[in-house]
């Protein structure tokens, strides 16, 4: 009866803040998007009124969670952060912290786009896991952390691959080599790490081929060193056959210098 259409409109347009709180709470408990939207209209009117009052803690959590349930993750993340700051001893603070972090996870775009929100979500989730090591949400949070990390890794490996593709067209391989090296350093446990090791060999070999004669031998030796590092970690790697094919070409070209040295 409290949430009937006629009564809702009267409360919404009226001045009775207690009635607005009661109807908003009733709508919120019905747990549906349509009811959340109606509850939100009431909450928006009374949040400033209840600030500092005993009912504010409950209201502010409902307010934040309503945005979350309506998938407005930007405002949900912000409001849950405010709740954490305002009510650090609340029984709901752990849930608020998790949902705040998850809101930023939800804002994370596809890997090919700007990843500012991905970094923010990763940071928030890691803070949550560290702060609440025994939380019931810990396992799920770790899954989300893994997913965001893999998204950043995919972004970084594709950037490196793009540098290599550009280098194949314009002949400047140093940015690709540096990008693969940064990937190896920044993502030691990545599923794309082997690709980075192989890409570095490929880029270094092609850099040697496109170099002036005076430095070709030196750069071929560098490429061979990258192959040796690849083998150290991936003796049975998925790119082993491709890497061995590159090594064959490297050794074939280095043999020319060995013959020249012997003749001299």
């Amino acid at each position: 009866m409290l949430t009937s259409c006629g009564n809702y409109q009267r409360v919404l347009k009226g001045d009775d803040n207690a009635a607005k709180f009661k109807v908003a709470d009733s709508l919120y408990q019905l747990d549906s998007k349509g009811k959340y939207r109606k509850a939100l209209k009431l909450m928006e009117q009374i949040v400033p009124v209840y600030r500092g009052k005993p009912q504010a803690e409950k209201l502010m959590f409902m307010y934040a969670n309503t945005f979350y349930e309506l998938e407005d993750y930007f405002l949900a993340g912000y409001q849950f952060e405010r709740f954490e700051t305002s009510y650090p001893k609340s029984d709901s603070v752990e849930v608020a912290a998790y949902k705040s972090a998850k809101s930023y996870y939800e804002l994370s775009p596809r890997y090919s786009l700007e990843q500012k929100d991905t970094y923010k979500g990763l940071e928030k989730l890691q803070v949550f896991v560290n702060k609440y090591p025994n939380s019931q949400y810990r396992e799920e949070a770790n899954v989300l952390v893994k997913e965001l990390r893999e998204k950043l890794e995919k972004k970084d490996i594709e950037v490196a691959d793009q540098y290599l593709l550009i280098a194949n067209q314009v002949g400047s391989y140093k940015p690709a080599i540096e990008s693969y090296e940064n990937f190896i350093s920044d993502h030691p446990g990545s599923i794309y790490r082997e690709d980075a090791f192989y890409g570095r060999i490929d880029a270094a070999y092609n850099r040697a081929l496109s170099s002036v004669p005076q430095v070709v031998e030196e750069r071929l030796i560098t490429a061979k060193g990258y192959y040796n590092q690849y083998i150290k970690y991936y003796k049975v790697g998925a790119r082993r056959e491709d890497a061995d094919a590159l090594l064959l070409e490297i050794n074939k070209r280095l043999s020319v210098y060995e013959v020249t040295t012997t003749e001299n």
Side-chain angles (χ1 to χ4, degrees):
M1 291 178 64
L2 280 172
T3 60
S4 65
C5 186
N7 185 66
Y8 172 79
Q9 289 299 328
R10 283 194 297 275
V11 173
L12 180 67
K13 295 175 183 177
D15 299 322
D16 189 339
N17 292 320
K20 290 181 181 183
F21 189 115
K22 191 172 184 179
V23 174
D25 188 18
S26 298
L27 289 164
Y28 176 86
Q29 302 302 331
L30 294 175
D31 191 20
S32 76
K33 278 190 165 48
K35 304 304 182 185
Y36 281 128
R37 290 189 184 95
K38 294 178 77 173
L40 182 60
K41 290 182 180 179
L42 292 166
M43 290 183 204
E44 287 172 338
Q45 292 184 3
I46 61 175
V47 160
V49 177
Y50 278 91
R51 190 165 289 125
K53 295 183 179 180
Q55 304 95 320
E57 180 183 330
K58 178 180 179 179
L59 177 60
M60 292 308 297
F61 183 86
M62 290 195 306
Y63 188 52
N65 200 50
T66 298
F67 285 119
Y68 185 87
E69 295 296 338
L70 291 173
E71 299 178 15
D72 187 340
Y73 295 115
F74 179 80
L75 286 176
Y78 171 71
Q79 292 298 339
F80 276 126
E81 281 182 334
R82 288 188 65 190
F83 183 89
E84 285 183 78
T85 302
S86 301
Y87 306 102
K89 296 182 180 180
S90 170
D91 291 340
S92 301
V93 72
E94 181 183 325
V95 179
Y98 178 66
K99 287 195 170 184
S100 176
K102 193 173 180 183
S103 293
Y104 288 104
Y105 159 84
E106 296 288 357
L107 288 170
S108 173
R110 54 185 302 228
Y111 75 92
S112 58
L113 301 176
E114 166 61 45
Q115 295 299 305
K116 180 179 70 173
D117 287 323
T118 302
Y119 283 108
K120 179 73 171 178
L122 189 57
E123 177 190 352
K124 293 280 289 181
L125 285 164
Q126 288 175 328
V127 167
F128 173 81
V129 169
N130 293 336
K131 189 172 182 180
Y132 301 100
N134 300 314
S135 172
Q136 62 176 314
Y137 303 107
R138 179 185 175 86
E139 186 175 341
E140 184 181 348
N142 283 330
V143 170
L144 300 183
V145 166
K146 183 175 182 290
E147 185 179 326
L148 293 183
R149 282 178 176 162
E150 287 183 1
K151 183 182 290 189
L152 294 175
E153 291 163 9
K154 188 172 178 65
K155 170 88 170 178
D156 287 350
I157 197 66
E158 293 220 348
V159 167
D161 288 343
Q162 190 66 29
Y163 277 129
L164 180 57
L165 182 64
I166 293 169
N168 288 334
Q169 297 168 356
V170 302
S172 178
Y173 288 92
K174 189 176 180 182
I177 294 169
E178 290 176 347
S179 190
Y180 285 124
E181 287 181 336
N182 288 338
F183 185 95
I184 291 166
S185 174
D186 294 342
H187 307 293
S190 172
I191 59 174
Y192 304 109
R193 194 165 183 255
E194 182 185 354
D195 293 324
F197 271 96
Y198 173 77
R200 186 172 61 167
I201 304 168
D202 191 359
Y205 170 66
N206 282 287
R207 186 188 187 204
L209 296 189
S210 64
S211 298
V212 295
Q214 295 90 328
V215 297
V216 170
E217 180 182 12
E218 175 190 341
R219 289 180 177 177
L220 285 170
I221 292 170
T222 297
K224 187 171 182 177
Y226 290 152
Y227 170 86
N228 291 335
Q229 290 180 32
Y230 168 85
I231 287 300
K232 179 180 177 182
Y233 295 102
Y234 303 103
K235 290 181 181 178
V236 291
R239 307 301 299 270
R240 174 68 188 267
E241 187 176 338
D242 295 331
D244 286 347
L246 280 178
L247 179 66
L248 188 63
E249 292 298 318
I250 292 168
N251 284 336
K252 195 182 296 184
R253 293 178 184 279
L254 281 173
S255 66
V256 173
Y257 295 94
E258 292 171 4
V259 170
T260 301
T261 302
T262 303
E263 289 176 351
N264 290 339

